[in-house]
């Protein structure tokens, strides 16, 4: 089936929309879907919840709302990528990592609205391994070795116990 | 070996098909997304080769459309990555469980996909690859905001952990909208693998974390697993009810679906998806239902058929030449007959 919008490409996405209880369906190609801000890729959990950035633009909406902020922030540009706060707001995404320093005060309210908390927790480049997770990973490795040995020795009862333990840890 | 092949040999995939963890990393001092020049993108793609020695390198901007699209249909790369025309490269390891998208929206998106319910294993693999990137590149990181990402929604751990779940009983009982609402309150999200929301076909859903800042990797995974455990229990309970209250009706639907899948001569993708759900449910419940589906038809065989029935993968399987939708529907039916028939 061809895309019902451009009529050129193969439709790979079925899009349905319910407006005031009236349902309309459309078969779309990936390009047109992207253009319309529709993502059919469930594994792209990173950016696509905010699609084309439109929803995120709403989040950013307040960042430049006060006149004083507007005059100083709107003209400032990131020294690394050259992005302005206006451009970041429009796209819903920064231009480079340095933007988070350049426009920190403007971006923080947005980040709080998204995550609720702005105190980082987790593994870092300085200590890249998450201790808890690494401990579990090491435990898994030794259990797997033990399991191989148990199977080799035909100790199936012990092997079954180990398998259950591994399953529990693997979650 | 992809996540869907031979999976049931190592784990139970009757409710959870696969687990995946994705970590985003960016290089300090280099623009992201649209602001990055083609030269900068190509440079990162090339330099990543030194990090991922022993991995296959696939330059997506040099792939034909069907091949690129087939990776998205296998859920190995995002649709955006498959369709972008700028320099961008996929590195995949030999075991087929680590995939690194270079120059997607972030410079590195490192993902590990493992069969069944194995989120921690996926994290372990993805973190290993992310650490290797961190040793080779200066990574953009802020003590307060964590890993710095193109989109602020990913700040913090920059980790998305998810499981792909098969929920036919819950879907048919109308439980998905309620589940979706409850998950949102817990900072988690559910989305259909094919189609959107309650309109999802295939009864396949991805459950993943939404929040990445202020919560560690370990806490995120624990929270996700708590929720997934609950959903598995609900789905199993509802399947149990189907087996006890509507034993013949359920077995009949599963058996008919299998019969059509193995006898049809022309089959659209949409029809296939509906039949696939019943056939998979029949195999998943074979201890409780007499469906007559032969033993060689396993969950992993059906999951492979699901991927092979998607338009671009199907086109490639047929030699890669141009195919009309009708030609594909005929070819799909032929492949299904061949793959899913009883083997003695």
């Amino acid at each position: 089936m061809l895309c019902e919008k451009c009529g050129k490409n193969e439709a790979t996405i079925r899009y349905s929309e319910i407006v005031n209880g009236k349902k309309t369906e459309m078969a779309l190609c990936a390009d047109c879907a992207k253009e319309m801000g529709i993502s059919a890729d469930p594994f792209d959990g990173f950016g696509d919840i905010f699609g084309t950035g439109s929803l995120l633009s709403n989040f950013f909406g307040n960042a430049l709302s006060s006149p004083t902020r507007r005059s100083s922030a709107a003209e400032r540009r990131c020294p690394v990528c050259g992005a302005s706060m206006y451009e970041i707001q429009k796209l819903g995404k920064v231009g480079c990592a340095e933007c988070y320093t350049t426009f920190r005060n403007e971006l923080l309210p947005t980040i709080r609205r998204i995550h609720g908390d702005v105190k980082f927790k987790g593994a870092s480049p300085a200590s890249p391994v998450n201790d808890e997770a690494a401990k579990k990973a090491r435990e898994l490795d030794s259990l797997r070795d033990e399991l191989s040995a148990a199977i080799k020795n035909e100790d199936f009862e012990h092997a079954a116990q180990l398998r259950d333990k591994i399953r529990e840890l693997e979650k | 070996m992809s996540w869907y092949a031979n999976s049931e040999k190592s784990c139970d995939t009757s409710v959870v098909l696969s687990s995946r963890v994705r970590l985003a990393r960016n290089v300090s001092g280099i623009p992201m997304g649209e602001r990055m020049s083609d030269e900068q993108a190509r440079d990162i793609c090339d330099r990543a080769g030194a990090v991922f020695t022993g991995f296959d390198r696939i330059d997506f901007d040099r792939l034909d459309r069907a091949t690129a699209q087939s990776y998205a249909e296998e859920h190995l790369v995002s649709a955006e990555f498959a369709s972008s025309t700028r320099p961008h490269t996929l590195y995949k390891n030999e075991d087929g469980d680590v995939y690194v998208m270079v120059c997607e929206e972030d410079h590195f998106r490192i993902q590990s996909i493992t069969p069944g319910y194995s989120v921690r294993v996926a994290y372990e693999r993805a973190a290993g690859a992310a650490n290797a990137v961190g040793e080779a590149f200066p990574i953009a990181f802020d003590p307060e905001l964590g890993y710095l990402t193109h989109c602020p929604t990913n700040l913090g751990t920059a980790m998305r952990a998810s499981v792909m779940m098969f929920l036919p009983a819950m879907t048919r009982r109308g439980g998905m909208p309620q589940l979706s609402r409850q998950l949102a309150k817990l900072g988690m999200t559910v989305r259909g693998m094919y189609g959107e929301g309650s309109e999802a076909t295939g009864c396949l859903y991805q459950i993943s974390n939404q929040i990445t800042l202020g919560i560690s990797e370990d806490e995120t995974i624990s929270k996700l697993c708590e929720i997934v455990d609950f959903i598995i229990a609900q789905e199993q309970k509802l399947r149990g009810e189907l087996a006890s209250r509507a034993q013949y009706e359920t077995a009949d639907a599963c058996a008919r679906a299998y019969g059509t899948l193995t006898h049809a001569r022309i089959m659209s993708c949409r029809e296939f998806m509906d039949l696939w759900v019943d056939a998979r449910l029949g195999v998943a419940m074979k201890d409780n239902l007499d469906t007559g589906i032969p033993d060689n038809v396993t969950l992993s065989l059906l999951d492979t058929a699901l991927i092979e029935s998607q338009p671009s993968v199907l086109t490639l399987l047929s030699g890669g030449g141009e195919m009309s939708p009708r030609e594909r529907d005929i070819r799909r039916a032929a492949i299904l007959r061949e793959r899913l028939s009883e083997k003695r």
Side-chain angles (χ1 to χ4, degrees), chain A residues 5 8 11 29 49 54 59 67 85 89 107-109 115 122 133 141 155 159 169:
Chain A
K5 190 156 179 268
K8 287 181 208 153
C29 69
I49 35 166
S54 53
F59 268 117
M85 190 56 213
Q89 183 186 345
L107 288 168
L108 275 177
H115 294 281
D141 276 345
D155 183 357
L169 269 176

Side-chain angles (χ1 to χ4, degrees), chain B residues 42-57:
Chain B
R42 180 73 69 203
D43 182 53
I44 292 185
C45 291
D46 289 344
R47 281 164 63 200
V51 180
F52 300 109
T53 49
F55 280 57
D56 285 342
R57 174 181 175 155

Side-chain angles (χ1 to χ4, degrees), chain B residues 18-37:
Chain B
S18 67
S19 304
R20 92 175 46 204
V21 166
R22 191 154 72 182
L23 299 165
R25 296 289 183 267
N26 286 285
V27 182
S28 292
I30 298 185
M32 305 163 181
E34 301 284 305
R35 292 197 168 262
M36 182 167 47
S37 70

Side-chain angles (χ1 to χ4, degrees), chain B residues 154-167:
Chain B
N154 301 315
L155 286 170
T157 57
M159 178 178 87
R160 206 63 68 182
S162 68
V163 292
M164 191 203 296
M165 303 188 83
F166 177 60
L167 303 173

Side-chain angles (χ1 to χ4, degrees), chain B residues 91-144:
Chain B
Y91 286 93
K92 63 171 188 171
N93 72 345
E94 215 175 301
D95 292 342
D97 58 7
V98 176
Y99 298 83
V100 183
M101 289 183 265
V102 187
C103 297
E104 207 239 20
E105 118 172 5
D106 291 298
H107 295 145
F108 289 95
R109 281 190 169 184
I110 302 139
Q111 60 172 352
S112 176
I113 311 164
T114 50
Y117 190 11
S118 50
V119 189
R120 285 197 191 279
V121 177
Y123 172 70
E124 187 191 322
R125 308 254 155 93
N131 293 347
V133 172
E135 281 165 21
F137 292 90
I139 297 298
F141 180 84
D142 179 284
E144 199 181 17

Side-chain angles (χ1 to χ4, degrees), chain B residues 204-222:
Chain B
L204 287 168
Y205 302 89
Q206 181 209 19
I207 316 286
S208 66
N209 65 303
Q210 187 95 287
I211 307 292
T212 49
L213 185 57
I215 179 167
S216 74
E217 292 88 348
D218 196 58
E219 288 166 338
T220 304
I221 294 173
S222 297

Side-chain angles (χ1 to χ4, degrees), chain B residues 265-310:
Chain B
R265 260 45 189 173
I266 176 161
M267 186 171 295
S268 71
C269 199
R270 200 178 176 83
E271 183 189 8
F272 164 74
M273 294 296 288
D274 291 340
L275 295 169
W276 180 86
V277 171
D278 282 330
R280 195 179 199 281
L281 183 64
V283 173
M285 291 176 66
K286 69 175 176 192
D287 293 340
N288 305 314
L289 288 178
D290 175 23
T291 59
I293 299 176
D295 285 341
N296 67 289
V297 180
T298 59
L299 293 176
S300 115
L301 196 72
L302 282 164
D303 296 346
T304 304
L306 170 74
I307 300 296
E308 289 182 346
S309 290
Q310 303 308 309

